[in-house]
């Protein structure tokens, strides 16, 4: 599948062209078999005790499925219809939507919107602020937007992301270097937690 075929942003399209979905899912199974924890994102989200979570850019559903296994109501959205089809095949009882974050328009409000796996930089540059704003609009009062992404040239800097969050009515609450909550210093990856005011 080429980025021109999918109509998805360039960085995402280039990554997606190199990924076989079956092999992608196998990566996490192998982690578990090796005694590693493949569910750091779900662990971090769970520490805020949400009752409802939106997994934005859910991919093949790993995070959403694990959250549902823990008794949390969850919905997953992704721009890539093949990813959504793979997620739906694994967990047909969950709610999966093939839609971009900027087009998100649900009646639901969530305690957490989680953006794992470089969702923010994989959005088209001109849509990142709008995507963050759409996520913020789907948060319940006091709800949290949790996003993890790599920091590298050409991708959003933390100042950019913090600015988009502030414009969307979100306040910074926590920042880590990893999903297992290692303290953040000036590193190559950040997990950011912003909270909706009010």
């Amino acid at each position: 599948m080429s980025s021109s075929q999918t109509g998805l942003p360039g960085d995402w399209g280039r990554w997606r062209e190199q990924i076989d979905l079956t092999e992608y899912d196998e990566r996490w199974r192998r982690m578990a078999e090796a005694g590693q924890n493949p569910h750091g994102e779900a662990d971090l989200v769970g520490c805020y005790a949400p009752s409802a979570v939106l997994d934005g850019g859910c991919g093949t559903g790993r995070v959403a499925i694990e959250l549902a296994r823990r008794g949390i109501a969850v919905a997953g959205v992704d721009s890539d219809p093949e990813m959504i089809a793979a997620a739906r095949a694994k967990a047909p009882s969950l709610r999966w939507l093939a839609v971009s974050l900027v087009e998100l328009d649900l009646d639901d409000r969530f305690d957490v919107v989680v953006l794992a796996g470089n969702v923010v930089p994989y959005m088209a540059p001109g849509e990142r602020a709008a995507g963050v704003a759409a996520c913020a609009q789907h948060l319940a009062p006091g709800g949290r937007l949790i996003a993890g992404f790599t920091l590298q040239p050409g991708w959003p800097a933390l100042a950019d992301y913090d600015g988009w969050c502030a414009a969307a009515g979100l306040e910074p609450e926590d920042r880590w270097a990893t999903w297992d909550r290692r303290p953040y210093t000036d590193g190559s990856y950040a997990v950011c937690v912003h909270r909706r005011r009010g």
Side-chain angles (χ1 to χ4, degrees), residues 8 29 33 65 81 96 99 101 107 113 117 127 136 138 159 170 178 190:
L8 297 170
R29 185 187 62 77
E33 286 183 351
I65 291 168
W96 306 106
V99 63
L101 292 178
D107 292 334
V113 174
E127 295 184 348
H138 285 79
L170 305 177
T178 61

Side-chain angles (χ1 to χ4, degrees), residues 7-8 16 37 46-47 55 58 79 82-83 95 97 112 117 127 133 137 151-152 169 193-194 197:
L8 297 170
R16 185 64 178 83
N37 178 17
C47 82
D55 184 0
C58 64
S79 298
E82 288 189 27
M83 290 276 198
R95 185 179 182 193
L97 300 167
V112 169
E127 295 184 348
Q137 290 169 2
L151 303 171
Q152 65 180 23
V193 181
H194 288 76
R197 304 182 189 112

Side-chain angles (χ1 to χ4, degrees), residues 12 15 24 28 38-45 53-64 67 77-78 83 101 112-123 135 145-150 155 161 179 189-192:
W12 168 257
W15 178 84
Y24 177 73
W28 310 109
H39 299 302
E41 302 96 333
D43 292 342
L44 192 151
V45 168
V53 173
L54 177 67
D55 184 0
C58 64
T60 61
R62 176 180 57 89
V63 176
L67 291 170
V77 301
D78 200 288
M83 290 276 198
L101 292 178
V112 169
V113 174
V114 59
L115 306 176
N118 289 318
V119 173
V120 172
Y122 279 147
M123 286 190 278
C135 291
L145 176 61
I146 305 177
F149 53 93
T150 300
W155 280 17
Y161 181 70
W179 288 96
Y189 193 87
V191 179
C192 308

